[in-house]
Amino acid sequence: MLRVNEPRAERRPHTWQRPTGAVDDPYAWLRERDDPATIAYLEAENSYADGWFAERRELLDTLFGEIKSRVQETDEAAPVPFGEWFYSGRTVEGQSYPIHCRGRSAATATEFVLLDQNAEADGHEFFDLGAFEVSNDHRRLAWSADVTGAEHYTLRIRDLDTGDDLADELHDSTWAGVAWSADADHLFYVMPDEQERPYRVMRHRVGTAQDDDVEVYRDDDERFFVGIGSTRSGEWIVIQSGSKLSSESLLIPASDPTAEPLLIRPRVADMEYHVDHWGDRFVILTNDDAVDFRVMEAPIDGPGDWTELIGHEPGRRITGIEPFAGHLALHEWRHGQPQVRVVTRSGDQTVLAIDPEPHDVEFGPNEEWDTTTLRLSHQSLTTPGRVIDVDVTTGDVTVVKQVPTPNVDLEAYVSQRLWATADDGTEVPVDIVRHVDTPLDGTAPTCIYAYGSYEASMPPWFSVARLSLLDRGVVFALAHPRGGGELGRNWYLDGKLLQKRNTFTDTLAVRDHLVETKVAAPDRLTIRGGSAGGLLVGACITMRPDAFAAAVAEVPFVDVVSTMSDPSLPLTVTEWEEWGDPRAEPFASYMASYSPYDNTVAAAYPALYITAGLNDPRVSYHEPAKWTAKLRDVRTNDVPLLLRTEMGAGHAGPSGRYEAWRDESRSLAFILTATTNP
């Protein structure tokens, strides 16, 4: 169907040779970023999308104004005690980025500025703060920044007495952490390989050139990502190398930074472990003979000699441990809900009661070692984020900080958990939130958000932007399909590799359940997701093009087979353990059965808003670009189809809170236009 003024990508002959046979791909050339026609096509799509949004300028401005009005732009973060200092941050009206500070008391925690991101971002279209690590003696700050979105960071060292950066400038570091030696004279960081994989730990001596830095560890197995960090006690530096299926850890005494790393246990297929220091022993979180993980302990002089400390319980997925001098705090998922468990040295265990409705609870910044106070962050679909301190000896809860939400009546919104039945009988959780005045009579427009990959659990979160949908009668539904981790490790295993289609059919089952129970109007549904969640969006609408009125696919991973067949592309090899290797059967046929790009055929598709980042190292711009070009070629209806590429950003989209609000306003305007005709 020819549409006036729509961009059209040139068709050039190209054939992929696959185990399933030859496949024509006339848009394969869009992978060539240096081809002037590639940039010309992306710019043409941007111009077309901008024209569509320009026609809705009043709605966009209204939505942006609503989001802005619900944010207290000048605000301070909760002070974090750390040694003799209290660390905090603040935002200032009109400025896009936070300012990091400290003071000698909680009341004066913003007195001394450590790093003003606004000043560092000046002159850059994009700015992302990577590392921000204060040394244990509080003299130095390691901080890094990426100014392109390509996730290559320049690491610097700031003297906190003078406020000046030292001459040290470490280029091409990653997001995979940093660690200080005890005396703050050495800094450890991680560098990427040619496929953007963090793989090499370097040791830098403060005051020397980067060329003199020493390689401490490298992992040449392309399946493994390497990270660096410190134990909570500050006494050990931990090197962690992990794939999707196994991991291993090495230790360096923080007081002896030039010591050879000590391997705790060599990697074993399908066995993961993570180590921390608990004073007189090490504690290890592992899935060794425990699908949902258990906690082991080991002596300081024998960190590979494990005995069980906290046993395995099927369905209780332990996701993290935080050791303190007198207790352990465990973060875990149970019955599709995160919770925190406190274990004393005597073995007593207590689950902290936080919220009866679907919610999120996470460890907050806990910098102090010898304390009975556990800092947590909490939010839900109807409760803005708050910082709370729990006294683990008494159970007393203190709200340290509640994120202010001006011009919002929080009593106007209600949430609940529902369960949908998948094709194979599996019960799939979905959390919904709506305005109290929105009827559940089958007339409400509804937006389903889902991810469902990498064992990433998606706890309910509060969003001031989302209120613009709820106030207009839209129901928001957060689906938890298999492939995530909400119901334990098996929930993840049942949604990956040769079970991946469960992720998409679970989401479609949620869609049908919302219609059948009259939560959602059948012809006013939107599906939204990003990255692997964008794959979910693409798979759902190619499996059932008539199931949704609109879809928002943000940096979507949609050209699955072509990308995963090319090990020269960034991160491909590491992803085979998640998706499979389509260069051979059975994965060739199975992945081809759901890959959105390969399954985009002549059909009436929902209205689509697709985004990309030209500098994205995770999902290359060419995947959403190729998909858009193919959709334009084969779709049989005339509804909005927009592609918008950030030409100076990467996977996370534009940086800075005001640009992020503008970006979100576009998605909201698209959803409202397609499903409510505002």
Side-chain angles (χ1 to χ4, degrees):
M1 178 183 294
L2 182 62
R3 299 166 188 84
V4 178
N5 298 325
E6 272 197 344
R8 288 287 175 163
E10 179 185 352
R11 295 172 60 91
R12 300 179 186 176
H14 183 89
T15 301
W16 299 109
Q17 298 298 331
R18 297 176 177 169
T20 54
V23 175
D24 291 330
D25 184 1
Y27 303 112
W29 64 271
L30 284 168
R31 289 165 45 124
E32 302 302 322
R33 177 171 170 164
D34 294 334
D35 186 332
T38 296
I39 300 301
Y41 172 65
L42 297 178
E43 290 176 339
E45 287 284 3
N46 279 356
S47 178
Y48 182 74
D50 288 345
W52 189 91
F53 285 116
E55 294 174 1
R56 292 150 185 87
R57 175 56 56 194
E58 183 177 351
L59 175 59
L60 281 169
D61 290 344
T62 297
L63 292 168
F64 177 80
E66 289 176 0
I67 296 171
K68 189 171 181 285
S69 73
R70 301 180 189 122
V71 177
Q72 185 170 301
E73 295 180 68
T74 298
D75 198 11
E76 295 181 4
V80 177
F82 179 21
E84 297 180 355
W85 292 92
F86 286 78
Y87 289 82
S88 184
R90 57 187 173 91
T91 54
V92 177
E93 183 175 356
Q95 296 186 357
S96 294
Y97 299 96
I99 301 167
H100 303 270
C101 313
R102 73 178 178 184
R104 290 295 187 180
S105 68
T108 63
T110 59
E111 181 177 2
F112 300 104
V113 173
L114 305 181
L115 182 75
D116 183 346
Q117 287 187 224
N118 300 284
E120 303 301 339
D122 188 38
H124 299 291
E125 180 181 350
F126 179 92
F127 180 86
D128 179 52
L129 181 67
F132 185 89
E133 191 73 21
V134 176
S135 60
N136 284 332
D137 63 6
H138 304 273
R139 293 187 300 120
R140 289 170 172 162
L141 167 69
W143 70 279
S144 66
D146 164 28
V147 294
T148 68
E151 300 183 18
H152 284 244
Y153 294 82
T154 298
L155 180 60
R156 297 177 174 88
I157 298 171
R158 179 158 296 186
D159 183 323
L160 294 184
D161 292 328
T162 66
D164 297 326
D165 287 332
L166 305 181
D168 310 55
E169 203 167 274
L170 311 178
H171 298 281
D172 206 31
S173 68
T174 69
W175 43 264
V178 298
W180 282 107
S181 63
D183 60 9
D185 285 341
H186 291 89
L187 179 65
F188 294 80
Y189 63 99
V190 186
M191 299 187 73
D193 65 9
E194 293 181 354
Q195 274 68 46
E196 309 294 341
R197 176 183 65 96
Y199 86 115
R200 188 182 185 209
V201 176
M202 305 298 293
R203 184 180 69 238
H204 173 74
R205 184 172 180 83
V206 177
T208 65
Q210 185 175 13
D211 289 345
D212 296 329
D213 289 355
V214 177
E215 180 181 281
V216 176
Y217 175 85
R218 68 186 292 156
D219 196 327
D220 291 319
D221 189 327
E222 293 179 89
R223 299 171 300 161
F224 283 74
F225 279 54
V226 175
I228 189 82
S230 300
T231 59
R232 286 209 60 260
S233 66
E235 294 187 24
W236 297 87
I237 294 165
V238 183
I239 298 171
Q240 183 79 14
S241 187
S243 73
K244 299 291 189 298
L245 299 174
S246 60
S247 65
E248 66 183 16
S249 300
L250 300 92
L251 294 171
I252 300 171
S255 59
D256 188 10
T258 61
E260 286 295 315
L262 172 66
L263 177 64
I264 294 179
R265 280 193 180 184
R267 65 189 60 169
V268 175
D270 300 326
M271 196 269 277
E272 303 167 51
Y273 71 89
H274 306 270
V275 65
D276 211 326
H277 177 225
W278 198 20
D280 60 350
R281 71 194 87 169
F282 291 110
V283 284
I284 302 98
L285 177 63
T286 181
N287 67 340
D288 186 24
D289 291 329
V291 66
D292 283 318
F293 288 70
R294 56 179 173 160
V295 180
M296 314 294 282
E297 59 182 350
I300 297 297
D301 59 356
D305 301 328
W306 301 352
T307 55
E308 186 174 271
L309 179 65
I310 301 170
H312 172 249
E313 181 182 312
R316 183 189 74 183
R317 170 68 165 93
I318 305 174
T319 55
I321 54 174
E322 293 244 331
F324 294 79
H327 63 277
L328 286 176
L330 279 64
H331 187 274
E332 52 196 33
W333 278 79
R334 184 178 175 86
H335 302 313
Q337 182 63 59
Q339 64 182 27
V340 172
R341 179 184 303 268
V342 175
V343 181
T344 66
R345 283 191 176 271
S346 63
D348 295 333
Q349 300 189 27
T350 304
V351 175
L352 303 180
I354 302 296
D355 193 338
E357 73 169 299
H359 66 278
D360 182 25
V361 59
E362 304 287 345
F363 293 137
N366 288 284
E367 299 293 346
E368 295 288 82
W369 165 253
D370 192 359
T371 178
T372 61
T373 299
L374 174 64
R375 176 155 293 185
L376 303 172
S377 62
H378 162 259
Q379 62 182 318
S380 76
L381 292 169
T382 61
T383 305
R386 60 181 188 149
V387 176
I388 60 177
D389 282 349
V390 181
D391 188 316
V392 298
T393 59
T394 66
D396 292 343
V397 176
T398 302
V399 178
V400 181
K401 170 74 177 181
Q402 174 86 51
V403 174
T405 50
N407 305 307
V408 175
D409 176 11
L410 295 173
E411 299 300 318
Y413 310 99
V414 292
S415 69
Q416 66 186 108
R417 168 157 289 182
L418 306 174
W419 295 82
T421 304
D423 295 344
D424 60 2
T426 299
E427 294 295 302
V428 181
V430 53
D431 300 317
I432 67 167
V433 62
R434 61 184 173 88
H435 194 282
V436 292
D437 294 336
T438 299
L440 300 184
D441 59 1
T443 63
T446 299
C447 178
I448 298 173
Y449 184 94
Y451 188 75
S453 292
Y454 300 109
E455 201 179 6
S457 300
M458 299 296 291
W461 76 95
F462 187 83
S463 166
V464 293
R466 185 193 302 137
L467 301 182
S468 292
L469 294 180
L470 305 187
D471 289 349
R472 290 170 172 80
V474 178
V475 176
F476 177 83
L478 175 60
H480 305 282
R482 280 171 285 186
E486 291 90 340
L487 291 167
R489 172 55 65 90
N490 284 327
W491 194 251
Y492 167 53
L493 298 177
D494 287 345
K496 66 179 293 192
L497 297 174
L498 296 175
Q499 304 296 323
K500 188 63 209 172
R501 288 177 64 92
N502 286 336
T503 302
F504 318 130
T505 55
D506 283 0
T507 305
L508 291 169
V510 165
R511 180 263 180 209
D512 292 343
H513 180 77
L514 296 177
V515 170
E516 291 162 5
T517 56
K518 296 190 179 301
V519 171
D523 57 347
R524 305 177 77 188
L525 278 143
T526 300
I527 185 169
R528 182 178 183 182
S531 195
L535 161 62
L536 177 148
V537 170
C540 286
I541 68 171
T542 50
M543 288 177 177
R544 287 178 53 186
D546 62 345
F548 299 95
V552 178
E554 296 157 296
V555 290
F557 175 43
V558 285
D559 192 14
V560 181
V561 177
S562 296
T563 293
M564 296 306 297
S565 296
D566 187 352
S568 71
L569 291 175
L571 310 181
T572 290
V573 174
T574 65
E575 296 291 305
W576 284 338
E577 292 180 344
E578 177 76 20
W579 310 98
D581 183 352
R583 297 177 302 171
E585 295 288 12
F587 292 107
S589 296
Y590 188 80
M591 294 168 70
S593 76
Y594 68 75
S595 172
Y597 184 71
D598 292 287
N599 288 281
T600 295
V601 296
Y605 290 101
L608 263 164
Y609 177 38
I610 302 167
T611 69
L614 185 62
N615 298 329
D616 191 342
R618 296 173 183 263
V619 177
S620 180
Y621 73 88
H622 70 256
E623 296 201 37
K626 287 176 57 180
W627 190 38
T628 303
K630 189 172 184 179
L631 282 162
R632 291 206 186 284
D633 193 34
V634 303
R635 66 191 180 123
T636 60
N637 57 339
D638 189 8
V639 295
L641 171 58
L642 309 177
L643 169 66
R644 193 172 188 280
T645 302
E646 291 290 341
M647 304 301 282
H651 196 61
S655 64
R657 56 177 176 168
Y658 297 105
E659 284 306 307
W661 297 344
R662 290 281 183 198
D663 191 51
E664 181 64 10
S665 297
R666 284 186 282 268
S667 295
L668 299 180
F670 185 84
I671 292 168
L672 291 169
T673 300
T675 59
T676 68
N677 295 315

